Amino acid sequence: MFWTVTLSLLEGTAAAAELFFLTLIFALPLGLVVSFGSMSKWAPFARMKANIPAWLRTFRPVSLVVRTVVWVFRGTPLMLQLLIIYYGPGLLWNNNVWGSGTGGRMFAAVVAFILNYACYFSEIYRGGIESVPRGQYEAGLVLGMTRRQIFFRVTLLQMIKRIVPPMSNEIITLVKDTSLARIIAVTEIIKVGENFMRKGMIWPLFYTGVFYLVFVGVLTLLFGWIEKKLDYFK
Amino acid sequence: MAVLEVQHLEKRFGATRVLEDIGFSLEKGRALAILGSSGSGKTTLLRCLNFLETPNGGRILVNGNCIFDAADPATQRENEVRKKRLHFGMVFQAFHLFPQYTALENVTLAATLLAQERGASRDELAAIRDEGLELLRTMGLADRAQHYPHQLSGGQQQRVAIARALSLKPDILCFDEPTSALDPELTGEVLRVIRSLAERETTMIIVTHEMAFARDVADEAIFMDGGRIVEQGAARQVIEDPQNERTRRFLARYAAGGSD
């Protein structure tokens, strides 16, 4: 029995890992784009000659839209977002864009997770970028470097060093959040445990915790290693 | 011909006038000290020369070429501003070394990037490295080339920053209160380096509160107050025998040992 349960839970772990890695691969870069959006200083009316109210001069449409989106995704439960994203198109337009079966459910879950986590990551990036002293940027400028060179050669690594601790927190939360996908019937670890519980076995549910602990344990070692690697500068 | 000529430079932050009708010129190989109390506009002036601020009025000429004209937006395009910045080197009060690079990498980074942009050969890149090492050696830091900034003292960090500013061979080297973040013991080593640069006829603009140093090292001096130049002339004369009442009061406080 123990091996049957273990094998089933490993299958659930595979689904959780798929969701986890796909989310990371897409949400990490997307979050950076979102953070640039929320930091956008584009103000189309700032230099207008006409007599317009002061608030319109400081109006930054890109920043406003992006910050509103971030507010919505951080401000509502991920479980709700999963339900709306998976069932919404079918119920509203009679068009299930996700396709049927396991693949469709996983696809919808991945999209919901990417959007949600990109928003969380964007705020971590923003904090990291804004915490790099402005003098670093100016020192690059007076040396004739382009904005792109300054970002990639000067600011980025300093930002990465600063965001490793909050990022590792968020990524560990992501591991455990994958269990939310069972609300749209993705068979991840907890779902497998629940299935056994329905057959009258309680211990597999407790056993699921071990799988999360191992997953997070590996990540903790990895983040520790990254922090150590970046320890050579202050 | 003057290396640098500044004409009627003006800068406002909102309604506040920070610089008003600033004009001076600087000959090649000369050192100019900019003196004045905090908030008099000294730092803003340096930042305008390095295009870190955009002046609201006036012109800046380098070697007779107009590189900035507030009335002509064509002189303010970002792409060209980047090249024009290279006429000036800048040493900041707080060093602003790049922490993730060694002293040598700090010195060679900008030159290496420029060389890579024009597709330089491996030999050229090696030459940049050698020049960087040579610069660090003249700063007395040959044995610190592979150290990271946090492993260096404040005085050593500032000397690396000076080497970095010199790495692109600017026409004019600017110092923004280069010793204000250092304790008195470390101030000396940085001032010695600047003095030796003056002896080698480096064209320099030095914003400083070190009066004795300015008197000995600078050829000319400008005294600023409230965003205006109130007195300018030979450094020795401005500092030892000021004509303007405001300059006198400021310098008297220094003579009495007070700081501004």
Side-chain angles (χ1 to χ4, degrees):
Chain A
M1 199 64 227
F2 179 73
W3 288 113
T4 318
V5 172
T6 305
L7 282 176
S8 298
L9 284 175
L10 277 175
E11 273 171 38
T13 307
E18 185 184 349
L19 182 52
F20 173 83
F21 285 112
L22 285 174
T23 303
L24 271 194
I25 289 167
F26 290 100
L28 283 173
L30 182 61
L32 194 59
V33 175
V34 174
S35 76
F36 286 142
S38 64
M39 286 187 291
S40 159
K41 292 196 169 62
W42 185 60
F45 304 108
R47 285 165 186 280
M48 246 175 49
K49 293 266 193 295
N51 202 3
I52 53 172
W55 65 266
L56 201 56
R57 284 194 193 281
T58 57
F59 175 59
R60 293 173 175 172
V62 173
S63 172
L64 188 73
V65 168
V66 173
R67 278 170 198 250
T68 307
V69 170
V70 171
W71 171 57
V72 170
F73 274 100
R74 294 200 309 166
T76 57
L78 177 53
M79 193 183 275
L80 177 63
Q81 291 161 23
L82 278 163
L83 290 171
I84 290 175
I85 285 175
Y86 182 55
Y87 293 114
L91 293 174
L92 290 175
W93 304 293
N94 238 338
N95 176 16
N96 182 5
V97 294
W98 306 112
S100 58
T102 320
R105 288 195 290 273
M106 177 58 93
F107 188 21
V110 167
V111 169
F113 270 74
I114 289 171
L115 294 175
N116 182 279
Y117 270 84
C119 289
Y120 277 101
F121 290 159
S122 79
E123 285 297 281
I124 295 178
Y125 286 135
R126 193 168 66 86
I129 290 171
E130 286 177 355
S131 74
V132 175
R134 193 169 162 74
Q136 292 289 308
Y137 178 72
E138 293 186 344
L141 280 184
V142 298
L143 289 166
M145 292 164 71
T146 62
R147 288 157 66 120
R148 173 184 281 268
Q149 286 172 336
I150 295 170
F151 180 75
F152 285 105
R153 300 303 192 110
V154 176
T155 326
L156 184 63
L157 196 62
Q158 296 181 46
M159 170 192 121
I160 289 173
K161 184 184 168 77
R162 279 159 222 249
I163 65 173
V164 169
M167 258 315 179
S168 59
N169 245 339
E170 204 55 45
I171 289 171
I172 284 169
T173 303
L174 170 60
V175 173
K176 292 167 294 174
D177 272 359
T178 56
S179 64
L180 290 170
R182 81 178 183 288
I183 200 72
I184 55 171
V186 171
T187 318
E188 46 63 61
I189 307 174
I190 302 279
K191 180 79 179 169
V192 174
E194 250 182 317
N195 290 344
F196 283 108
M197 196 177 68
R198 282 181 216 289
K199 293 176 195 158
M201 277 190 288
I202 192 69
W203 64 268
L205 198 58
F206 292 108
Y207 186 27
T208 59
V210 175
F211 288 77
Y212 288 103
L213 282 172
V214 171
F215 204 146
V216 170
V218 172
L219 286 176
T220 306
L221 291 174
L222 178 68
F223 286 122
W225 178 78
I226 293 173
E227 259 182 72
K228 222 183 170 109
K229 274 273 156 188
L230 290 174
D231 219 22
Y232 73 92
F233 72 91
K234 292 236 160 29
Chain B
M1 188 175 54
V3 178
L4 173 67
E5 206 172 330
V6 175
Q7 300 170 344
H8 309 295
L9 208 67
E10 188 180 311
K11 176 68 190 171
R12 291 185 302 268
F13 290 123
T16 323
R17 278 169 189 275
V18 189
L19 294 176
E20 251 185 290
D21 197 22
I22 301 291
F24 63 89
S25 69
L26 186 60
E27 297 289 323
K28 190 168 166 55
R30 310 272 280 180
L32 167 72
I34 302 182
L35 315 170
S37 56
S38 304
S40 60
K42 312 182 297 285
T43 295
T44 308
L45 174 55
L46 277 198
R47 291 175 60 85
C48 283
L49 294 178
N50 283 278
F51 292 91
L52 291 174
E53 308 285 354
T54 310
N56 300 101
R59 307 202 315 154
I60 301 170
L61 291 86
V62 172
N63 295 321
N65 302 317
C66 179
I67 63 161
F68 176 86
D69 186 343
D72 181 5
T75 62
Q76 297 166 35
R77 288 199 202 102
E78 183 167 328
N79 253 334
E80 287 156 48
V81 162
R82 190 187 153 214
K83 299 238 163 60
K84 292 172 189 173
R85 279 199 175 100
L86 299 180
H87 290 296
F88 297 88
M90 179 79 161
V91 176
F92 297 92
Q93 183 176 349
F95 329 139
H96 298 326
L97 291 180
F98 306 132
Q100 72 267 44
Y101 293 119
T102 61
L104 179 60
E105 287 166 342
N106 263 280
V107 176
T108 56
L109 177 66
T112 306
L113 288 175
L114 282 172
Q116 282 169 348
E117 266 175 59
R118 51 164 204 268
S121 67
R122 194 170 291 189
D123 287 350
E124 280 178 77
L125 295 177
I128 288 171
R129 194 188 140 85
D130 291 342
E131 277 173 40
L133 279 170
E134 177 59 27
L135 270 173
L136 285 175
R137 212 171 49 77
T138 59
M139 297 293 140
L141 292 168
D143 55 335
R144 295 285 185 270
Q146 301 306 328
H147 285 57
Y148 288 94
H150 77 273
Q151 299 167 320
L152 302 171
S153 73
Q156 290 169 335
Q157 288 187 47
Q158 191 62 301
R159 283 185 284 154
V160 174
I162 294 172
R164 182 177 69 173
L166 285 167
S167 68
L168 296 173
K169 303 182 183 69
D171 296 313
I172 301 139
L173 187 57
C174 302
F175 294 88
D176 184 12
E177 300 192 31
T179 59
S180 294
L182 301 172
D183 65 45
E185 252 175 275
L186 299 176
T187 300
E189 65 187 62
V190 171
L191 294 184
R192 263 196 301 284
V193 164
I194 302 175
R195 191 186 297 263
S196 76
L197 288 174
E199 281 159 7
R200 274 176 280 151
E201 306 219 313
T202 312
T203 316
M204 296 189 286
I205 301 177
I206 311 164
V207 168
T208 183
H209 287 302
E210 302 279 342
M211 291 305 148
F213 171 74
R215 182 195 59 208
D216 296 345
V217 170
D219 303 294
E220 285 145 58
I222 284 175
F223 181 80
M224 288 180 66
D225 187 42
R228 291 175 163 277
I229 295 178
V230 295
E231 186 156 356
Q232 67 191 110
R236 193 161 284 276
Q237 185 249 309
V238 170
I239 293 167
E240 286 183 345
D241 183 23
Q243 306 299 306
N244 182 283
E245 181 52 32
R246 180 71 186 87
T247 319
R248 271 187 203 164
R249 261 188 292 141
F250 177 79
L251 289 166
R253 249 181 300 160
Y254 268 93
S259 70
D260 199 80

